[in-house]
Amino acid sequence: MNPPSIPTLSSVIRHGLKIARNPVALARELAVFHTFYKVMRLHEFDEEAYLDQNPDVAAAIRAGQEASARGHYIRFGCAEGRSPTRKVDPRVPYRVASRRRRRSQERSAILAEIAARAGREHLYPLLLDIAAGTGDRILKLNRRVVRTAKADPLVTRFNYDARRPEISVIICLYGHPQFLSLQLALFSTGCRLAPVEFIFLNNSAEHGEFLLRDAKQAARLYEIPVTLINVNENIGLAAGNNLAARHATSSRLVFMHPDVFPRDHNWLAKHNEFSATADGRIFGACLYYDDGSVMHAGMYLERETIRYETSKCMDLLRIRHYAKGVPDCVPDAAKTRVVPAITGAFISIEREHFESLKGFDENFVLAGYEDFDLCLRSAAAGQRVWYCANVRLMHLEAQGGARGPDARGASYVNQWLFSRKWLPSLANKCGPLWSRVEQTR
Amino acid sequence: MRVLLVSLFHPAISPGGAQQACYNLFKGLQKAKYEPILLASVERHMWPALFKSGATITEFDKHENEFLFLSQGYDHTFHRNKDPRNLDEFEDFLRVIRPNVIHFHCFVTFGLEYFATARRYLDKNGGRLIFTLHDFLAICQAEAQMVRTFDKTLCEYASSFRCHQCFPDHPPEHFSIRAMWVKHHLDYVDTFVSPSEFLRQRYIDWGISPERIVVIPNGHESPTGGTDLSTAPPRRPRNRFAFFGRLIENKGLLVLFDAIKLLRNRGLDFTVDIFGANLKHEATEQFRNAFNAFIKQEQRSTSHRTPMVRFNGAYEMVDLQRLMREIDWVVVPSTWWEIFGMVVSEAFLYGKPVICSKIGGLAERVRDNVDGLHFVVRSSRSLAEIMERAMSEDGLWEHLCCNIVPPPTAEGVARKHLEVYHGVSTLAGAGHEVHTIRALISRVNAIAIWQFR
């Protein structure tokens, strides 16, 4: 038998060109190569990491539907593109990291420019520019930043035991990592009575190291199961919350801001009481400032007309809060009722409902308006949003996250996006009296 | 019973009232045949050579049952330790020495989380967690002084806005969080000990329930030479004053200096001896300059006769007997809330009446016209008047001397602590049982009420 002849360079190029011209052949070649590559990596298979990164597989194994993690990987995971090893940052090729970084910097620069313009000129031309194309450009850029960063999170769990959490509290950290310990300590007193897990998503990559150490210590010290998810870029609240929700292990999600703290020791009992009712599929709490006045008792929309040079005008939607800054005895704060929306600082939602709504709309850049959007979609899907006056917490508004010029710029883009999405259908549903015609409890 | 005493620094490393009180208790417990174990912190800048690489808790200079905690990574904003390794080592240390009582005398240099760790250990193994309050650190961010940062006036109470006035860079919310965070960790404590009723009241006003705090004064080490000044003092004008203490601004030396100037203008004959140290390390530059200028001027203007004011440098406990023999009055012109005033104990130990500012722990311990004299805090004119009265009024000194009650000894104080350690104190409050689930839940409820109010 003749030894196989070594192909010449020209024959390889000819073969390559022939395949490249034929898309079907190209796809087949790539699929074969992909499978080969995956099998090559099988020796690196890390069962613990695989289960950490794929909670659905872990659940399937617990339920007895799947025999082993390795088996799942060979039969499905490999083809579905799941990673056989723990995903950590150094594995990301430098090329990808630098491209991601560049996009993220570009996003920040455009947003900061918007914030700067808003400070020195009239809003109308700025909003016109956003509507004319800047907005869509940022959305596209943001989608790509979010997609790359989300594909590569580092998920670490601490202090989980045999008990299955009943509630998953989800918090996105940005800029102030110390809030992780502060919240765990202050929530631990009330959370001893029922198993509650805390899922922190860290949007500031530079604090990842510190948070890994801190979460480990705090989880053990305050006896709370904690999941920490580190991403490489600031993916904002909507995408961050969605990503964290995927790693929740309970059927009830509570989205919180880092500067929310318990005010009553029995907030959890009251919460559980309301979430067990038919109206409790999605609801918000009464939030207070630290001076005792009301910070949040539901939100509504107001139609805002921006006028420019006598003849030009533009309509936008603006979010307003009921009873902000007043004592909690006013009816708006004291009454449990249906409201147009509740703040993202505290949203309690049934996981199934959250998933049926496909989570927060990740088009919203960084933070703002995604909470109202979720509530409107819930109402549109037939599940009205409740404000529960008995569940009381403290929200030290604007303390929990760093707020740079990019965040200020993002609020204009989000307002434009939100208005574009909802103004046509909501134009006559604005104003604080909206809730008066709705049902109260 | 094995008692772990957790102290801020070792008195042999850095002298100070709180660490001395803790060390005296350590000695007192030893005499009472208990098994005290001391864990005293040290910071790297003090003695870098003590920091053995990779270690957190080490023995100290062959002192039996005395250990050093090498404090690293301490965060002064929220009073926590950012190095989790330290906490692990502390937990291991607890498991090795197996204390029945863990008695903190500070949390600074350790971290508030150490209360949580201690509680976790005690919940598993039984025992009590005690915390002696020596300062306002839990309440006040301004170096625990409760003196306002912008105009140095005395602060009566802390609130988010008042603290924000002292630290405009921190929003009021920061102080709300700080208070909640500190209170959360203090909730792990079974019983608080306060050396004075004044400090106890401040913490009650801040939110700790009265039944959780007991008052036990700091104990005094028995001097080796006894307290008898042997020779009966001759009858002569009682015009010899002395100041003992650290040479820092809030000990009120500048008030004393102004009073001396006023008295000299009236042509009175008296002497003032100043004993103290720490001028170089602890005092502000402004104070140091004012102090040096006054002493220099004093030496110049009185060079032809005996100087009225003498600066004698640092003193040790063993020197006190000799020094006290020479003087009549101890002046304590502090301009801040003295919590306990160890110097009052030192004066009373040798039967010397005290002239002090009418403030905080001083006003509580020194009874006006009974065993000392009060003057209006920060008022040099008031101090001058009182000093003039002290040296001129016939029989006053003898009258006050008769009423002086000896300060509590280390052994007496240790005995009082034993009641708290056993949880059977007849003093108000120390009534927490060893934790059962029911006790835990009722504690959770009780806590929440004060924590969130």
Side-chain angles (χ1 to χ4, degrees):
Chain A
M1 200 172 130
N2 291 336
S5 61
I6 298 165
T8 60
L9 183 62
S10 59
S11 73
V12 169
I13 292 171
R14 264 203 310 281
H15 182 67
L17 287 174
K18 207 166 86 189
I19 289 175
R21 274 196 293 272
N22 179 350
V24 178
L26 181 66
R28 194 173 55 229
E29 287 283 318
L30 284 176
V32 168
F33 174 75
H34 188 244
T35 311
F36 179 66
Y37 170 75
K38 291 288 180 186
V39 172
M40 289 263 294
R41 286 187 69 189
L42 200 56
H43 71 280
E44 304 175 354
F45 186 80
D46 177 351
E47 179 158 352
E48 195 187 319
Y50 191 76
L51 290 176
D52 275 357
Q53 284 160 181
N54 302 290
D56 55 337
V57 179
I61 290 175
R62 270 202 302 275
Q65 295 158 354
E66 198 67 53
S68 75
R70 186 180 289 264
H72 180 274
Y73 174 71
I74 293 169
R75 279 184 295 141
F76 309 107
C78 164
E80 288 165 8
R82 301 187 197 228
S83 167
T85 56
R86 191 173 290 280
K87 295 177 184 172
V88 285
D89 193 31
R91 281 182 190 282
V92 178
Y94 173 71
R95 223 161 7 90
V96 176
S98 71
R99 202 188 306 140
R100 191 190 62 217
R101 192 99 279 268
R102 211 172 48 238
R103 283 200 197 114
S104 152
Q105 280 166 356
E106 195 184 339
R107 178 185 67 176
S108 298
I110 301 174
L111 291 173
E113 172 60 21
I114 290 174
R117 277 183 67 186
R120 62 171 186 257
E121 61 183 70
H122 196 276
L123 270 185
Y124 184 84
L126 174 65
L127 288 165
L128 215 57
D129 269 4
I130 293 175
T134 314
D136 282 320
R137 196 165 134 231
I138 292 171
L139 295 191
K140 190 174 168 196
L141 206 55
N142 186 54
R143 269 198 298 272
R144 297 177 78 172
V145 173
V146 167
R147 195 169 55 218
T148 343
K150 259 177 78 171
D152 198 28
L154 174 63
V155 183
T156 325
R157 292 188 193 268
F158 305 98
N159 207 33
Y160 277 80
D161 54 19
R163 292 195 302 172
R164 191 183 139 89
E166 287 172 14
I167 291 171
S168 306
V169 176
I170 293 172
I171 293 148
C172 289
L173 295 168
Y174 180 62
H176 297 322
Q178 70 272 25
F179 278 91
L180 182 141
S181 284
L182 296 175
Q183 279 193 311
L184 288 178
L186 295 177
F187 274 105
S188 64
T189 312
C191 288
R192 278 193 198 131
L193 306 173
V196 178
E197 69 170 343
F198 275 71
I199 303 176
F200 288 93
L201 182 121
N202 172 30
N203 265 329
S204 334
E206 69 274 22
H207 295 139
E209 285 285 326
F210 168 78
L211 281 170
L212 277 171
R213 273 183 286 138
D214 213 33
K216 182 180 177 194
Q217 177 175 313
R220 202 176 49 152
L221 216 46
Y222 306 115
E223 294 167 359
I224 293 180
V226 175
T227 300
L228 177 67
I229 305 173
N230 275 301
V231 287
N232 291 314
E233 290 299 335
N234 181 6
I235 61 175
L237 274 183
N241 279 336
N242 286 350
L243 178 60
R246 281 220 292 277
H247 291 91
T249 56
S250 80
S251 56
R252 166 65 56 168
L253 309 177
V254 177
F255 296 100
M256 260 189 219
H257 284 185
D259 43 16
V260 171
F261 295 101
R263 185 173 190 273
D264 286 345
H265 65 289
N266 61 353
W267 75 272
L268 189 61
K270 298 276 182 199
H271 167 276
N272 291 348
E273 218 170 83
F274 195 78
S275 66
T277 65
D279 299 323
R281 292 190 80 192
I282 172 169
F283 68 97
C286 184
L287 302 180
Y288 290 81
Y289 288 114
D290 61 334
D291 62 11
S293 55
V294 173
M295 183 267 142
H296 174 87
M299 310 191 290
Y300 60 92
L301 286 174
E302 216 166 59
R303 196 171 167 153
E304 185 184 34
T305 305
I306 296 182
R307 296 182 189 284
Y308 185 59
E309 290 176 353
T310 64
S311 60
K312 296 169 184 163
C313 69
M314 182 190 282
D315 274 359
L316 285 175
L317 290 171
R318 174 173 287 277
I319 294 176
R320 311 283 296 188
H321 289 254
Y322 290 105
K324 197 165 187 171
V326 302
D328 63 357
C329 54
V330 299
D332 271 342
K335 206 180 276 177
T336 295
R337 66 194 200 284
V338 170
V339 289
I342 48 177
T343 172
F346 185 97
I347 296 176
S348 175
I349 183 168
E350 205 182 83
R351 185 176 186 166
E352 206 183 304
H353 183 49
F354 183 72
E355 280 167 1
S356 76
L357 295 173
K358 298 204 166 31
F360 289 97
D361 180 351
E362 296 188 8
N363 278 315
F364 289 100
V365 184
L366 302 184
Y369 293 84
E370 76 289 330
D371 44 4
F372 213 113
D373 175 80
L374 181 81
C375 294
L376 290 175
R377 284 188 291 122
S378 173
Q383 182 59 52
R384 287 179 306 179
V385 178
W386 283 78
Y387 158 75
C388 181
N390 289 338
V391 182
R392 299 188 190 94
L393 293 104
M394 200 185 276
H395 180 210
L396 309 179
E397 197 184 17
Q399 303 301 318
R403 196 168 160 81
D406 52 347
R408 286 200 300 280
S411 69
Y412 292 102
V413 177
N414 288 341
Q415 191 183 10
W416 158 75
L417 174 65
F418 182 80
S419 303
R420 183 174 76 172
K421 197 169 169 184
W422 291 105
L423 194 58
S425 54
L426 288 182
N428 50 11
K429 272 200 167 183
C430 294
L433 295 181
W434 179 87
S435 67
R436 298 282 188 271
V437 295
E438 295 288 324
Q439 177 194 351
T440 52
R441 220 173 143 81
Chain B
M1 181 187 270
R2 194 171 290 165
V3 182
L4 173 64
L5 295 169
V6 181
S7 168
L8 169 70
F9 310 142
H10 193 288
I13 291 177
S14 169
Q19 45 270 46
Q20 192 60 53
C22 182
Y23 199 71
N24 292 348
L25 176 61
F26 174 73
K27 290 289 176 196
L29 287 171
Q30 270 182 342
K31 279 188 191 152
K33 302 279 179 253
Y34 278 72
E35 280 183 89
I37 288 165
L38 184 75
L39 180 64
S41 63
V42 57
E43 286 184 325
R44 191 179 276 276
H45 67 86
M46 296 172 161
W47 295 104
L50 290 176
F51 277 67
K52 297 177 175 68
S53 171
T56 298
I57 295 175
T58 65
E59 301 223 359
F60 176 48
D61 209 22
K62 299 196 176 135
H63 292 219
E64 205 178 333
N65 288 336
E66 294 177 31
F67 297 87
L68 284 188
F69 177 82
L70 314 178
S71 172
Q72 305 183 71
Y74 191 77
D75 163 27
H76 285 268
T77 314
F78 283 104
H79 296 286
R80 50 192 299 244
N81 204 312
K82 286 189 170 169
D83 191 346
R85 203 193 51 198
N86 288 346
L87 202 66
D88 294 345
E89 297 274 326
F90 179 66
E91 234 177 320
D92 288 345
F93 182 69
L94 292 182
R95 275 197 289 271
V96 171
I97 65 162
R98 307 191 68 76
N100 306 103
V101 170
I102 303 177
H103 185 167
F104 282 86
H105 280 256
C106 69
F107 54 79
V108 70
T109 67
F110 289 85
L112 282 162
E113 319 87 298
Y114 283 68
F115 288 127
T117 305
R119 180 82 269 161
R120 264 161 54 88
Y121 167 82
L122 293 173
D123 278 346
K124 253 181 235 147
N125 301 285
R128 295 174 59 77
L129 182 57
I130 315 292
F131 177 35
T132 295
L133 306 159
H134 284 289
D135 53 28
F136 300 118
L137 191 60
I139 303 174
C140 176
Q141 185 171 297
E143 290 174 13
Q145 301 269 305
M146 293 200 82
V147 174
R148 314 219 59 193
T149 57
F150 47 92
D151 60 0
K152 303 288 172 207
T153 52
L154 293 163
C155 182
E156 295 285 341
Y157 67 97
S159 77
S160 297
F161 176 66
R162 284 169 64 81
C163 294
H164 170 61
Q165 285 180 312
C166 281
F167 296 92
D169 290 346
H170 288 110
E173 286 85 352
H174 166 81
F175 296 98
S176 298
I177 298 173
R178 184 188 187 275
M180 289 193 295
W181 166 255
V182 175
K183 282 177 178 177
H184 171 83
H185 290 92
L186 295 191
D187 277 339
Y188 293 114
V189 174
D190 289 315
T191 304
F192 296 90
V193 175
S194 162
S196 62
E197 180 59 37
F198 159 71
L199 186 67
R200 176 175 182 262
Q201 205 53 51
R202 279 287 161 109
Y203 273 90
I204 291 171
D205 294 345
W206 185 62
I208 296 187
S209 58
E211 67 276 7
R212 291 178 70 202
I213 317 182
V214 301
V215 175
I216 302 179
N218 292 335
H220 206 284
E221 202 182 356
S222 313
T224 41
T227 57
D228 188 15
L229 300 180
S230 60
T231 51
R235 280 195 74 80
R236 56 168 175 75
R238 298 296 170 189
N239 57 0
R240 299 177 188 174
F241 300 90
F243 170 93
F244 295 89
R246 289 186 296 159
L247 304 179
I248 53 174
E249 199 158 6
N250 61 29
K251 293 290 176 187
L253 268 176
L254 299 184
V255 177
L256 179 61
F257 290 167
D258 285 345
I260 290 168
K261 283 180 203 160
L262 287 172
L263 289 174
R264 177 176 295 128
N265 291 344
R266 291 181 207 166
L268 294 163
D269 177 31
F270 64 98
T271 62
V272 178
D273 286 280
I274 294 166
F275 303 94
N278 296 28
L279 184 64
K280 207 170 159 188
H281 299 297
E282 285 190 43
T284 60
E285 198 179 341
Q286 199 186 353
F287 173 77
R288 201 159 48 231
N289 293 341
F291 180 85
N292 287 332
F294 181 83
I295 296 292
K296 207 170 181 181
Q297 194 200 348
E298 196 63 24
Q299 283 164 348
R300 207 180 313 129
S301 64
T302 58
S303 53
H304 56 286
R305 54 197 169 97
T306 327
M308 273 183 180
V309 179
R310 279 177 304 219
F311 175 47
N312 306 292
Y315 70 98
E316 297 278 332
M317 277 299 291
V318 288
D319 304 330
L320 270 180
Q321 191 178 17
R322 179 173 51 84
L323 302 177
M324 288 286 181
R325 192 172 289 160
E326 300 297 319
I327 59 139
D328 302 320
W329 304 88
V330 173
V331 183
V332 189
S334 294
T335 56
W336 82 295
W337 316 101
E338 285 285 351
I339 305 286
F340 180 70
M342 207 56 158
V343 64
V344 175
S345 297
E346 287 168 0
F348 286 173
L349 195 60
Y350 293 96
K352 300 293 175 186
V354 174
I355 296 174
C356 70
S357 316
K358 188 178 181 184
I359 190 172
L362 293 179
E364 182 186 323
R365 297 194 63 205
V366 178
R367 295 165 290 169
D368 194 18
N369 285 316
V370 177
D371 50 13
L373 299 170
H374 289 175
F375 69 92
V376 178
V377 62
R378 296 181 175 193
S379 165
S380 46
R381 188 165 300 159
S382 170
L383 175 56
E385 278 165 16
I386 294 292
M387 283 169 77
E388 189 176 351
R389 182 184 158 207
M391 62 181 118
S392 55
E393 194 175 314
D394 210 23
L396 176 65
W397 187 83
E398 287 77 8
H399 164 69
L400 298 178
C401 282
C402 293
N403 294 331
I404 291 171
V405 180
T409 61
E411 295 92 86
V413 166
R415 270 196 302 279
K416 279 199 171 157
H417 273 94
L418 293 179
E419 292 180 20
V420 179
Y421 293 162
H422 287 290
V424 292
S425 177
T426 47
L427 306 157
H432 282 279
E433 298 298 318
V434 175
H435 287 295
T436 57
I437 291 295
R438 185 181 298 170
L440 184 71
I441 291 170
S442 68
R443 199 165 65 90
V444 165
N445 292 337
I447 287 161
I449 290 161
W450 72 276
Q451 189 179 322
F452 302 125
R453 80 180 184 191

